[in-house]
Amino acid sequence: MSAKVSVIIPAWGETPFLERARNSVLAQTCTDIEVVVSAPPASAPQTAIAARWAALEKAQGEWIAFCDADDWMERNAIAEM
């Protein structure tokens, strides 16, 4: 069974805040979440857009949300549906 919400965190190069971003997604009040951390494929430009596209191919949720590697989500940013 797939998650209801896939949260995509694009990561490339140095991402010192990646753990904080991931932990903020995992701490959501909604528990039906899949976290997809993705780097761009070697053949693609090393950008957030390329990393997002790579992650979209792997995401299995009914809904998609994005959180940049240097951001975080408040605890109730994704509410139970």
Side-chain angles (χ1 to χ4, degrees), residues 2-3 7 14 18 22 29 35 37 39 43 48-49 52 59 62-64 67-68 71 74-75 80:
S2 66
V7 179
E14 188 175 333
L18 178 59
R22 182 184 56 91
T29 56
V35 179
V37 178
S43 61
I49 297 294
R52 285 186 178 109
E62 295 177 53
W63 299 92
I64 302 291
C67 180
D68 287 338
D71 289 334
E74 294 293 332
R75 184 158 165 73
E80 293 287 344

Side-chain angles (χ1 to χ4, degrees), residues 12-65:
W12 74 100
E14 188 175 333
T15 53
F17 302 112
L18 178 59
E19 185 175 356
R20 181 180 73 170
R22 182 184 56 91
N23 288 343
S24 76
V25 174
L26 294 174
Q28 292 298 302
T29 56
C30 175
T31 57
D32 197 6
I33 293 178
E34 165 191 50
V35 179
V36 182
V37 178
S38 179
S43 61
Q46 299 297 298
T47 65
I49 297 294
R52 285 186 178 109
W53 278 111
L56 279 170
E57 293 177 4
K58 296 177 183 176
Q60 296 180 11
E62 295 177 53
W63 299 92
I64 302 291

